[in-house]
Amino acid sequence: MPFARLTIADPTVSPSVQQELVRSVGKLLVDVLHKEAEVVVTHVNLTSPQQWYVGGELVTGATGAHLEVSITAGTNSAEEKSAFVAQAYAALADALGVLADTVYVAIIELDGDAYGYNGVTQAQRRRDNPAEKD
């Protein structure tokens, strides 16, 4: 049940490119991290490039981006997470072109007792249905 937040330092990114990125990130969440597509939520935040700095310097001639994904702790291996980070970065570069020198992809692992959706924690969801995927 991941939540993805994609921040892009370019308010002119077209809706079609935004949709491409949402689909790419969602597909990686399903294919690489084995999440259920129907509960993937993605928020795209377009911001001004005048607010994007790397190493204390304003980024020019490139697009700043940051992707963070919240998942339940302990549901993926180190290899799966590493593959997701690499493939998500590649998807950002494919869609956005030249990226800033430093672009982070962060997987935030949250305790299942403190994370859930529709009023049910992930830990409770597992207790109710141990076969359910995250």
Side-chain angles (χ1 to χ4, degrees):
M1 62 144 267
F3 178 85
R5 180 177 294 109
L6 174 58
T7 304
I8 304 168
D10 182 353
T12 68
V13 172
S14 71
S16 63
V17 170
Q18 293 177 55
Q19 185 65 51
E20 174 189 345
L21 283 165
V22 168
R23 286 187 180 129
S24 295
V25 169
K27 183 169 176 22
L28 290 172
L29 287 166
V30 170
D31 294 348
V32 179
L33 297 183
H34 316 292
K35 306 306 178 191
E36 294 184 39
E38 57 273 5
V39 294
V40 171
V41 174
T42 305
H43 173 244
V44 178
N45 178 35
L46 303 181
T47 189
S48 168
Q50 298 302 312
Q51 298 172 313
W52 206 269
Y53 295 81
V54 172
E57 299 295 324
L58 184 67
V59 172
T60 59
T63 301
H66 178 87
L67 173 64
E68 57 187 41
V69 177
S70 298
I71 64 171
T72 306
T75 59
N76 291 100
S77 69
E79 293 80 12
E80 289 167 334
K81 292 181 281 188
S82 181
F84 177 85
V85 169
Q87 291 176 45
Y89 175 83
L92 291 170
D94 287 346
L96 298 173
V98 178
L99 295 174
D101 289 341
T102 304
V103 171
Y104 286 98
V105 175
I107 298 173
I108 301 164
E109 295 188 273
L110 299 166
D111 187 312
D113 286 320
Y115 182 58
Y117 66 96
N118 294 350
V120 181
T121 66
Q122 287 304 90
Q124 185 61 51
R125 200 174 306 285
R126 291 256 165 159
R127 288 189 289 273
D128 293 346
N129 183 2
E132 184 172 325
K133 290 169 52 178
D134 180 54

